[in-house]
Amino acid sequence: MPNRPYDLPPLSSLISFEAAARHVSFKTAAEELNVTPAAISHQVKALENELQCGLFVRHHRGVELTESGAYLLVSLQRSLEGISEALGQLRRQYDKKGVTIRSTTAVSSLWLTPRLAQFWKQHGHVSVTQVVTDLGVDSSKCDLSIHYGDSSRETGIFKTLFHDNIMALCSPRFAEQNPIERVDEIAGLPLIHLDAPDTGWTDWRAWTQKLGYDGPLNSAHRVNNYTIALQAAQDDMGAVLGWEGLTSELVASGKLVKLLPQTISSQLDFYVKLHNTSSDRAKLVFKWLGEAI
């Protein structure tokens, strides 16, 4: 193989191969790249000759990848995704003063917004835009994003914000009207359930099981938004599960109180992830949030 920078074959052959392998079709790849199928075949053949291995098995009706071809396709796609992400970050630099950060409604209202207010007192020259959504959209389109999950599986650049304890909370009036001391006594009380199955949030069943109770539970109130669940609890509608890091200000203000002294430790973490590593302002917000506990 000729000596080239990075020891790569011509990029035209790699691009042609990637398109042909992704579509498993020389004809479709040719249409995508606006060339002839013969040109795709020529590029792929040149690549096979240079690598000295077959990348496709050619049949009368089409082609299929060999094991070597499948291996090369995965490697190319990973590399191209990295290049695409880097280019995307550079394109987003048109707004050098702004930093975008994605979070859920609950994290934004209960944790992020109060801390950004403090951030702006120290760094008023940095504009931060919140992208608030409870849908699983592509967070890589933001400079930063806040997640609730298993941070040990995270492969990007991140900082753990807090590892939370989960407790049963309610309004002071509700606690006064429903004095209980044991976890099993919660069975007779109205509970506010959060219907968010894809978020990893602990539900009442998991919470009580962790504390040794596996009996029936009241499921009178169900909502799909944690902020609404907390408001319902403040309105005396029932007890709600409270993540200590998110609800500390509500507890400190007396709007919510502990219904029971027992708590469990969450199996997941709240953490912030840095996507735009080319932005000094994004790095500043990332560092500040990691120290703002």
Side-chain angles (χ1 to χ4, degrees):
M1 182 181 294
N3 185 21
R4 303 188 184 99
Y6 306 108
D7 196 22
L8 293 175
L11 292 180
S12 58
S13 65
L14 293 175
I15 294 299
S16 296
F17 165 76
E18 190 277 335
R22 176 162 36 86
H23 293 295
V24 198
S25 168
F26 286 11
K27 180 180 178 181
T28 307
E31 292 173 352
E32 178 181 301
L33 298 178
N34 197 27
V35 296
T36 65
I40 295 293
S41 179
H42 175 76
Q43 292 284 356
V44 170
K45 189 63 179 176
L47 182 60
E48 289 177 319
N49 289 337
E50 184 158 344
L51 297 176
Q52 298 183 356
C53 68
L55 300 174
F56 288 97
V57 177
R58 293 156 175 83
H59 302 292
H60 177 68
R61 294 181 177 272
V63 296
E64 62 180 89
L65 282 168
T66 64
E67 183 177 348
S68 297
Y71 176 81
L72 179 58
L73 174 62
V74 171
S75 178
L76 275 175
Q77 288 181 328
R78 287 176 178 171
S79 300
L80 291 171
E81 286 170 0
I83 294 171
S84 177
E85 173 64 20
L87 292 174
Q89 290 184 12
L90 292 175
R91 291 187 183 111
R92 290 195 293 270
Q93 291 307 297
Y94 69 91
D95 182 11
K96 295 184 181 298
K97 293 184 178 180
V99 176
T100 55
I101 179 167
R102 176 187 176 275
S103 71
T104 63
T105 305
V107 170
S108 173
S109 61
L110 298 170
W111 190 87
L112 179 59
T113 298
R115 281 155 182 81
L116 286 180
Q118 296 300 315
F119 174 82
W120 283 319
K121 291 179 181 179
Q122 301 177 33
H123 307 283
H125 62 290
V126 179
S127 172
V128 180
T129 300
Q130 291 192 59
V131 180
V132 180
T133 176
D134 294 322
L135 303 176
V137 298
D138 184 6
S139 58
S140 66
K141 294 181 179 179
C142 296
D143 297 312
L144 305 165
S145 58
I146 295 179
H147 301 263
Y148 180 60
D150 185 355
S151 62
S152 66
R153 298 184 178 182
E154 184 56 66
T155 57
I157 301 173
F158 73 95
K159 283 188 177 183
T160 299
L161 298 174
F162 49 91
H163 185 85
D164 237 347
N165 292 317
I166 307 172
M167 52 197 170
L169 298 176
C170 63
S171 68
R173 181 183 301 175
F174 186 91
E176 183 179 352
Q177 294 173 348
N178 300 276
I180 61 173
E181 297 180 356
R182 303 189 315 274
V183 174
D184 63 308
E185 293 179 289
I186 211 167
L189 302 183
L191 304 177
I192 301 168
H193 295 261
L194 179 64
D195 286 332
D198 297 327
T199 61
W201 290 57
T202 301
D203 59 18
W204 276 109
R205 174 59 62 198
W207 191 82
T208 57
Q209 285 178 340
K210 191 76 172 180
L211 292 171
Y213 174 70
D214 195 21
L217 294 171
N218 188 319
S219 59
H221 306 302
R222 311 193 77 91
V223 298
N224 64 357
N225 182 286
Y226 189 56
T227 305
I228 295 175
L230 292 175
Q231 185 59 56
Q234 292 175 68
D235 293 337
D236 309 324
M237 292 182 64
V240 68
L241 287 175
W243 275 253
E244 191 173 37
L246 296 181
T247 60
S248 58
E249 293 187 15
L250 292 173
V251 173
S253 67
K255 294 179 180 179
L256 292 176
V257 298
K258 278 188 176 183
L259 179 64
L260 287 166
Q262 295 91 333
T263 65
I264 69 169
S265 177
S266 171
Q267 299 300 304
L268 305 176
D269 303 304
F270 286 94
Y271 62 92
V272 59
K273 183 174 181 179
L274 175 65
H275 301 282
N276 190 355
T277 56
S278 66
S279 169
D280 290 338
R281 294 176 185 268
K283 292 177 183 177
L284 173 64
V285 177
F286 174 75
K287 181 176 184 295
W288 194 92
L289 288 176
E291 298 171 351
I293 308 305

